[in-house]
Amino acid sequence: LGAVLFAAMRLLAPEPGADAASRRIVVPRAIAASGSADAWIEEEILVRAALERGLDHDPVVARRLEQNLAFADSDALPRRSRDRLRRDLLRADPVVRRRLAERMRALLETAIDTTPPDDVTLRAWLDRHGDRFAFPGAVAFEQVFFDAARRREPGADAQRALASLAAGRAAAGDPPPLPPGGVHTPAGIARYLGDDFAAALMQLPPGIWSGPLPSPLGLHLVRVVRLDPPRPATLTEARARVAAAILDERRAAARRGG
């Protein structure tokens, strides 16, 4: 939207000799009080540009205006009063404003440079913003869970079970909160067991039973069976996302006039 508004504001630049007061944007008090002044000003810029382009002849706008004029019984008004009412409705009716803004936005979007960036540009941008696209890591693990809500001494139970596992014997626990199997990202684990648990799990050595690790639900003995550590994304992996980010950056630059 930033580039759209920049282009619209250029369209609305006063001509030499134009009345500056007619170009001034005054935010209604109710809009200002609601905290939505910025969005209203953006829409107002687009609406004004649309009207200057003659987009009020859009079929949706024309139909809505005719309905409003009929409701107001405008046929009984003098021609000048009817025209003034029509102009007011163009600026005040929320349905008309939204349609005009949409039409103008679509028109101005065609002026934004959407040329796909080449590999040199993509790679340079990824080098500067690699943290936004980095692979967060993944882990597959087994666990024996000790539910703090069901056990009187989950810590002691976990330590006895850890000793059994270290000796090669089986150990029983409670039904785990995270379904067994699968490969999980840190964020996915954190949704079930919390950020601290996910961070600690990613630091464990694979192949041995470790713990107990605490979570908001209890204690966990864990054996990591696969660990893919965090790493930077390759251009092949991030190409589509980087290209979209560059286009967003172009829009922001257009808004700033750069």
Side-chain angles (χ1 to χ4, degrees):
L1 178 60
V4 170
L5 292 175
F6 173 71
M9 291 177 70
R10 291 186 63 180
L11 286 174
L12 288 171
E15 297 294 334
D19 180 12
S22 66
R23 300 287 181 169
R24 186 178 299 116
I25 294 178
V26 179
V27 179
R29 290 183 179 178
I31 297 295
S34 69
S36 56
D38 289 346
W40 187 90
I41 290 172
E42 291 177 356
E43 185 180 70
E44 177 69 10
I45 292 170
L46 291 169
V47 167
R48 293 188 184 192
L51 293 177
E52 292 199 0
R53 286 292 187 92
L55 297 183
D56 52 313
H57 298 298
D58 172 84
V60 174
V61 172
R63 184 164 58 251
R64 176 73 174 188
L65 283 176
E66 287 305 316
Q67 292 173 349
N68 288 339
L69 290 170
F71 181 80
D73 193 21
S74 63
D75 288 339
L77 297 174
R79 175 63 181 272
R80 293 183 62 181
S81 297
R82 178 182 170 87
D83 289 346
R84 185 165 57 251
L85 177 60
R86 183 181 186 278
R87 290 194 300 271
D88 291 343
L89 289 172
L90 278 170
R91 302 290 292 276
D93 185 291
V95 174
V96 170
R97 287 178 62 86
R98 186 162 54 249
R99 177 63 176 182
L100 289 172
E102 288 173 354
R103 286 293 309 276
M104 196 64 211
R105 186 180 292 109
L107 180 64
L108 293 173
E109 281 285 352
T110 62
I112 297 173
D113 179 12
T114 57
T115 304
D118 59 24
D119 280 4
V120 173
T121 303
L122 290 169
R123 190 170 289 105
W125 203 95
L126 180 58
D127 289 343
R128 293 196 305 272
H129 306 280
D131 56 319
R132 292 176 52 180
F133 305 97
F135 175 64
V139 62
F141 64 98
E142 300 171 341
Q143 65 171 314
V144 181
F145 173 59
F146 300 89
D147 191 337
R150 299 174 59 176
R151 294 175 177 264
R152 295 181 61 182
E153 296 182 343
D157 294 343
Q159 292 295 343
R160 284 192 292 269
L162 182 60
S164 295
L165 291 168
R169 299 190 298 271
D174 301 314
L178 187 67
V183 178
H184 306 276
T185 64
I189 295 167
R191 281 195 293 271
Y192 288 92
L193 301 174
D195 292 332
D196 291 342
F197 181 93
L201 179 62
M202 296 298 292
Q203 302 299 317
L204 294 179
I208 63 173
W209 284 99
S210 303
L213 297 185
S215 79
L217 303 176
L219 297 174
H220 308 252
L221 302 180
V222 175
R223 181 166 65 181
V224 173
V225 297
R226 172 183 170 185
L227 179 63
D228 298 326
R231 59 171 175 78
T234 66
L235 181 57
T236 299
E237 293 169 333
R239 179 181 299 275
R241 289 177 294 157
V242 172
I246 289 174
L247 293 179
D248 288 342
E249 192 174 70
R250 289 176 183 173
R251 294 185 178 96
R255 178 184 57 200
R256 295 190 300 269

